[in-house]
Amino acid sequence: MCGIIGYVGKKQALPIVMNGLKRMEYRGYDSAGIAIVENRSLEIIKEAGKLGELEKLVDGVQLHGTVGMGHTRWATHGVPNKTNAHPHTGESGNFAVIHNGIIENYASLKIELESKGHTFHTDTDTETVVHLVEEFYEANHDFEKAVREALYCITGAYGFVFLCRHEPDKIIAARQGSPLVLGYGKDEFFVASDASAIVTHTRQVTFMDDHEMAILSPRGIKITTIDNQPVVKKVEEITYDISQIEKSGYAHFMLKEIFEQPSTILDSMRGRTVPDDGLPRLGGLAEHMDTLAKAKKIIFIACGTSWHAALVGEYMLEEFARINVEVEYASEFRYRNPIIEKNTVVFVISQSGETADTLAAMREAKRRGAAVFGICNVVGSSIARESDAGVYIHAGPEIGVASTKAFTSQLTVIALITLLFARLRNMSAVEGKQIIEELLAIPEKVKSILTNSDYIREIAETYMDKRNFLYLGRGYNFPVALEGALKLKEISYIHAEGYPAAEMKHGPIALIDDDMPTVIIAPKDAIYDKVMSNLEEVKARGGKIIAITTEGNNEINEKADHVIYIPKTHDFLSPILAVIPLQLLSYHMAVLRGCNVDQPRNLAKSVTVE
């Protein structure tokens, strides 16, 4: 969600902090600020709006300090304005804090602190923390101890970074439920909420775990538990290419990531298929084959786009592995009393591996005795570390807030997992080999769909002023209808709803007229005729129709106003192809409407709070 970066070293901190914030703009934010230690004082500059507004204030300012931090805020408590922007300071100005997360008991803490004479100037939960540190520091004049004692008082989720003007060469960071990564450079050290903020300076990193503190100074990084027990951490190397977090000539990250999908889909399969025996090789699951073979039920847990991928997985696994599958919203699962029976296997899906609800639901499933496996994109993320095992989707950094390449990579990995379960049960090697061959053909088929981008833009020009859309699909492509509608509303701010095509008659058909376009996903599959009947119902009521169908299906031209063709593939792989035109339609619609495609309003890339 929000962006955090801190720096300790020999270089001027200001440009490093500002560049780090720029690397994290994709995460979603509505204000930004910096704090630099300058001659034993804390120089703080912050502003509402995008980083450009902060840059105007910073431009020309002479700050030479070599210790500093920066933050991009996504408002939770208090409106997005300059006052509520981070960093926050207390009464004395001796301390500054930036924070990702939510302090659940901030109201009671605030009352207690006010009774002791503290005055608050913001509407945020975060301000209570810096007042707490100030209160404890007065008693012991020990920065590190004051932070620890403040953390003992807090209930909630946080990634904190603190500065103290009395200890000007030190940064203290703490994590509980909100990601932080530590970077090791030559005579310089970093802390950030996202490795992309520091990868231009170092590739040597350590991922903090919950209940840990890190003290950064020019001498290195000391990591302990909040209870002050030493922690030894593994230093890992960031392996992705810098070009993956740059636009590389594309107008937007989202467009770049849409066009990367032939490569990212292939990467998600690379080294994982054995065509000769029709069996996938998923190294992350290799030590758990007995658990998978004995599974009686599978539960997928996810949010948003990942939840749509899970829905496709439900169709896949039930058809080919003949196993009972449930798909749960993580935000609902964690507050229910879910039934976890013996031999229940749980897959949690999250692009970032840090989604707060999904992480909490995963922990609940583990507590109840389920075998829990992660499907995520970010190496070293919380889900990757805390699950029993899992599969990375290898999509590379996804910068656009609206997920595209991560979704198709998730579908590809779920298809491989389906094939694994099916081969463990009843699928023959011959059928498995056929599916692998078709999977390996998918990247080239995606590439052919992308050549229709200009044509899809023309369709977008026709409908860019419409206020409502309906998306319909059946079977494997019902979740694709949900995903297509989500993409449109996320980035173009047009209201859109996805439905199973037959459910249209149970309410939404009342909305159809010539001012409400309908997108119908109708590949030539086993239920094509049923979908065409639903298309006829829309047409009979004067609805405008955009159809996604299989190449060579010319009969649909007489029924639909616009037709977008996708190559033929196996029915259960059709969602990977069918979603590509919907991503392009949403993208072009948003650009034509003048929307901020990569940073849509009110949204964040990684939702690390409830």
Side-chain angles (χ1 to χ4, degrees), residues 299-510:
I299 300 175
F300 282 110
I301 298 174
C303 300
T305 287
S306 296
W307 189 79
H308 297 156
L311 282 179
V312 177
E314 179 181 22
Y315 283 90
M316 288 179 175
L317 281 156
E318 288 189 345
E319 177 174 354
F320 290 99
R322 306 305 300 155
I323 187 169
N324 181 36
V325 181
E326 295 179 7
V327 179
E328 298 273 2
Y329 280 115
S331 55
E332 292 297 315
F333 182 89
R334 64 184 293 195
Y335 291 114
R336 287 174 42 223
N337 188 18
I339 298 172
I340 302 289
E341 301 165 314
K342 185 179 180 181
N343 295 324
T344 295
V345 169
V346 172
F347 284 95
V348 292
I349 311 176
S350 166
Q351 187 281 137
S352 68
E354 301 290 353
T355 310
D357 286 319
T358 307
L359 190 53
M362 180 189 78
R363 291 166 177 163
E364 179 65 17
K366 289 186 72 173
R367 189 181 70 82
R368 290 173 179 264
V372 178
F373 303 104
I375 300 173
C376 60
N377 191 33
V378 180
V379 175
S381 61
S382 295
I383 286 175
R385 297 198 309 275
E386 294 187 31
S387 56
D388 295 317
V391 184
Y392 285 117
I393 65 172
H394 295 311
E398 188 177 61
I399 306 301
V401 167
S403 182
T404 52
K405 65 177 182 176
F407 178 68
T408 51
S409 291
Q410 286 170 348
L411 291 181
T412 305
V413 164
I414 292 170
L416 291 171
I417 291 170
T418 298
L419 183 56
L420 177 63
F421 272 98
R423 291 286 284 115
L424 288 173
R425 284 164 167 74
N426 53 16
M427 182 181 284
S428 69
V430 172
E431 187 175 3
K433 182 178 180 180
Q434 291 171 345
I435 288 175
I436 285 179
E437 288 174 352
E438 190 55 46
L439 263 170
L440 293 173
I442 289 291
E444 283 301 315
K445 293 180 179 182
V446 170
K447 192 178 293 185
S448 72
I449 298 170
L450 292 171
T451 63
N452 293 319
S453 180
D454 290 343
Y455 169 61
I456 294 170
R457 187 182 190 280
E458 292 174 9
I459 297 174
E461 289 174 344
T462 302
Y463 298 105
M464 59 179 283
D465 294 323
K466 301 300 182 184
R467 301 186 61 170
N468 300 283
F469 267 73
L470 184 63
Y471 284 68
L472 302 176
R474 296 187 79 153
Y476 285 110
N477 286 297
F478 157 53
V480 177
L482 295 176
E483 175 63 12
L486 176 62
K487 283 293 155 287
L488 189 67
K489 68 182 91 172
E490 275 183 316
I491 63 170
S492 73
Y493 317 140
I494 297 172
H495 173 254
E497 296 296 334
Y499 272 87
E503 283 296 303
M504 174 185 60
K505 296 189 291 291
H506 298 275
I509 199 169

Side-chain angles (χ1 to χ4, degrees), residues 73 76 93 164 190 264 417 460 560 592:
R73 175 181 185 250
T76 54
C164 173
F190 307 81
T264 54
I417 291 170
L592 290 166

